[in-house]
Amino acid sequence: MDGLLSGKIAIITGAGSGLGRAASLIFARHGAFVAAVDIGEAGVVETVRLVEAEGHRASAHLCNVADEAAVDALVADVVRAQGRLDILYNNAAVTVAPDPVKGMLGLVDTPTRELDRLQAVNIGGVLNGCRAAIRQFSAQGRDERGSGGVIVNTASIAGLIGYGGVIYGATKGAVVSLTRTLAIEVAPLGIRINSVCPGGMLTHYAGMDPDGPNADRIREGMKRNNPLGNDGNPDDTANVALFLASDLSANVTGTNIPVDGGLSAGVSTRR
Ligand SMILES: NC(=O)c1ccc[n+]([C@@H]2O[C@H](COP(=O)([O-])OP(=O)(O)OC[C@H]3O[C@@H](n4cnc5c(N)ncnc54)[C@H](O)[C@@H]3O)[C@@H](O)[C@H]2O)c1
């Protein structure tokens, strides 16, 4: 099929669930070969099965994005198998697990090891991916349309406004910031880097379960928070990631685009 990513080789992290799975399917439908990456085997194997069931191409890779050597080896494996890399989508992240009794923990109740874990995955994982991709992009040079390679990150509206816990928000604020700074650094190479900033999405994140007994209640809460009145559909964010990964956004770099129904735009008077 001819699509927005026809012939492109894309790595997508956190591809075993939620937004990463949605992006894997959408990128593949638009012609990309998707190297689907996750720390969990069952999810990423299922994502590849779903992509292939639609007649598209993908491969499954196990990798902890917080492990720099493992990320370097991942990029080398994909390039060895597919010949090049065009797109890296840094989507994997973790959050502080809510306490079963207290719910979301405040800063003083959150163990320091959680700060270390979130920094390692949410910031370190993005930096590891960016380094490995930029090295590969630099080695292979620009494509026939002048692109030096594309990086998309998943940040969050928690990186733009106060939302979702201090430590998580701090890590996502770092992704927003590094997206801007790195975009300037690598622009002379023709490499673009942008982020999507989702609002709430009903995935397996933070102990949620899209098929669980609380799913309808969570969806209703998301609709109430969202000025457009939508629930958090991962496909909406994956479609913006598709735009940022494609040549449609050839003159866009260093941006952090909210995909939140207007939640981060200001205070809603909606009842
Ligand atoms: N769900 C939301 O409400 C929401 C809101 C804003 C931003 N986000 C962001 O969206 C992205 C995707 O989250 P989701 O909602 O699809 O969550 P999810 O939990 O459904 O999927 C995340 C995937 O990342 C994988 N992962 C976790 N740690 C990893 C690691 N160290 N290495 C490799 N893979 C790892 C998990 O195994 C999982 O398959 C994350 O960056 C998250 O911060 C989510």
Side-chain angles (χ1 to χ4, degrees):
M1 154 186 165
D2 258 8
L4 292 173
L5 304 181
S6 207
K8 302 280 187 190
I9 310 299
I11 291 177
I12 301 180
T13 70
S17 178
L19 175 52
R21 176 172 291 167
S24 297
L25 285 160
I26 287 173
F27 281 29
R29 284 173 199 147
H30 276 271
F33 176 91
V34 174
V37 180
D38 207 284
I39 200 168
E41 185 166 13
V44 79
V45 166
E46 175 63 5
T47 296
V48 169
R49 190 192 69 75
L50 291 168
V51 169
E52 290 178 342
E54 293 189 1
H56 308 304
R57 294 168 60 235
S59 54
H61 304 260
L62 280 183
C63 176
N64 175 2
V65 297
D67 179 340
E68 184 177 2
V71 173
D72 288 348
L74 164 76
V75 171
D77 282 351
V78 171
V79 171
R80 203 174 301 117
Q82 302 303 325
R84 59 183 289 116
L85 176 68
D86 301 295
I87 299 159
L88 169 67
Y89 183 6
N90 289 308
N91 167 70
V94 289
T95 192
V96 179
D99 183 271
V101 179
K102 295 181 184 169
M104 189 179 291
L105 293 174
L107 179 62
V108 295
D109 292 326
T110 307
T112 303
R113 66 172 181 276
E114 287 291 86
L115 173 62
D116 297 341
R117 188 175 70 94
L118 264 65
Q119 286 189 138
V121 178
N122 298 6
I123 307 175
V126 173
L127 293 173
N128 289 338
C130 290
R131 276 201 202 96
I134 290 166
R135 285 194 193 107
Q136 175 58 31
F137 291 159
S138 302
Q140 70 194 22
R142 298 185 186 230
D143 69 13
E144 66 284 356
R145 281 173 281 190
S147 170
V150 179
I151 299 172
V152 181
N153 300 320
T154 300
S156 169
I157 60 161
L160 302 173
I161 62 170
Y163 179 92
V166 173
I167 293 176
Y168 178 72
T171 64
K172 291 301 186 173
V175 176
V176 166
S177 176
L178 78 85
T179 296
R180 294 188 182 116
T181 314
L182 189 55
I184 296 166
E185 188 174 298
V186 296
L189 301 170
I191 299 171
R192 299 188 299 109
I193 171 166
N194 294 282
S195 294
V196 288
C197 298
M201 298 177 294
L202 183 45
T203 63
H204 288 98
Y205 211 56
M208 296 186 293
D209 179 358
D211 305 311
N214 296 323
D216 287 344
R217 186 179 55 75
I218 295 170
R219 271 199 193 91
E220 286 311 311
M222 287 175 173
K223 285 181 185 171
R224 270 197 306 278
N225 274 341
N226 175 325
L228 283 177
N230 298 330
D231 62 0
N233 184 341
D235 284 0
D236 294 334
T237 304
N239 279 321
V240 177
L242 167 69
F243 164 72
L244 292 172
S246 78
D247 290 339
L248 286 181
S249 59
N251 201 27
V252 179
T253 197
T255 67
N256 295 280
I257 302 183
V259 190
D260 63 353
L263 174 54
S264 61
V267 177
S268 172
T269 52
R270 184 176 230 273
R271 292 261 176 253

